[in-house]
Amino acid sequence: MFRVMLYGQWKWSRLIVVLGSLAGFALPIVSLQGAARADSSPLQAGELLRAVQSWGVLYPVLAAALGLLVATATWSPDHRGRHVYALALPVPRWRYALLRFGAGVVLLAAPVIAVLAGALLASWSATIPAGLQAYPVALAIRFALAVLVAFAVFFAVSAGTPRTAGIVVGLIGGVILAQVVAHVASLDVDLWGKLQLVVVNWPGPLAIFAGRWMLIDV
């Protein structure tokens, strides 16, 4: 049953996985393009770190986008068919959801492997100044964790009804709206900052997305 479900999810999300894999492979290479040119002098340490850091913000964006799109594609056929297929199977709901989740994780392994391959190739071909080191494996592991977290969050949201997803989005929008109103009214209220501290900063559930994403560092 898992192979059938994996094949079905591959058909629904193959374009996302392929494009995400290409982007993941190209991102490390592009971030070190200034250090890989043989026709010019190598970048200085400070210049290289700034270039890597500027491109590094795209790793969490790519991880979040992959998690969102694959999770949405995973449950879209069920929502369109009003979950008739899931209810017709002789398996409990929890096992069906677990199979869906496992198939999505297997598909998302392709972009992670692409990031690792691109990071290894970029590190091998780049001229790295003394005092700096490449961390392709650590970057790929962090990217894998970010993809897994994003997929798990959006998978849980997408598994519910559109009403549930609307409630979640509405709550987030309500916090943003309240923050805007408080700012206009000159009230000393920082709801978004407190939410960010709880969710994004360590040990928040989305802390993996914060901080610097560096392929080259000291």
Side-chain angles (χ1 to χ4, degrees):
M1 180 179 292
F2 179 76
R3 289 194 299 177
V4 174
M5 196 166 293
L6 178 62
Y7 177 71
Q9 290 184 210
W10 163 251
K11 290 195 301 182
W12 305 328
S13 57
R14 56 189 174 187
L15 182 60
I16 301 170
V17 173
V18 170
L19 293 180
S21 300
L22 292 176
F25 179 78
L27 184 54
I29 298 175
V30 174
S31 67
L32 291 183
Q33 59 181 345
R37 293 196 302 262
D39 57 343
S40 61
S41 60
L43 291 178
Q44 298 299 318
E47 297 174 342
L48 181 59
L49 288 177
R50 284 192 295 270
V52 172
Q53 186 173 3
S54 63
W55 284 99
V57 298
L58 296 180
Y59 290 105
V61 173
L62 178 60
L66 284 170
L68 169 62
L69 295 175
V70 173
T72 303
T74 297
W75 288 107
S76 292
D78 288 286
H79 292 320
R80 289 195 301 267
R82 298 184 180 276
H83 299 272
V84 173
Y85 174 74
L87 295 174
L89 293 176
V91 295
R93 176 69 175 179
W94 66 266
R95 185 182 176 189
Y96 178 79
L98 189 61
L99 290 172
R100 283 263 188 244
F101 185 84
V105 171
V106 171
L107 292 177
L108 287 171
V112 174
I113 295 174
V115 169
L116 176 60
L120 289 172
L121 179 60
S123 303
W124 173 77
S125 60
T127 303
I128 302 176
L132 301 181
Q133 294 184 8
Y135 300 94
V137 177
L139 179 66
I141 292 175
R142 185 176 182 182
F143 182 79
L145 292 175
V147 169
L148 182 61
V149 169
F151 178 66
V153 171
F154 292 118
F155 182 88
V157 175
S158 301
T161 62
R163 180 182 178 183
T164 303
I167 292 174
V168 174
V169 174
L171 289 175
I172 298 175
V175 173
I176 297 175
L177 179 62
Q179 183 63 60
V180 172
V181 172
H183 178 73
V184 173
S186 300
L187 299 177
D188 189 13
V189 178
D190 189 11
L191 297 176
W192 185 252
K194 293 179 180 178
L195 180 62
Q196 182 178 3
L197 288 175
V198 173
V199 176
V200 179
N201 291 354
W202 179 260
L206 303 182
I208 189 68
F209 292 92
R212 301 194 311 166
W213 290 68
M214 303 292 288
L215 173 57
I216 304 294
D217 209 341
V218 293

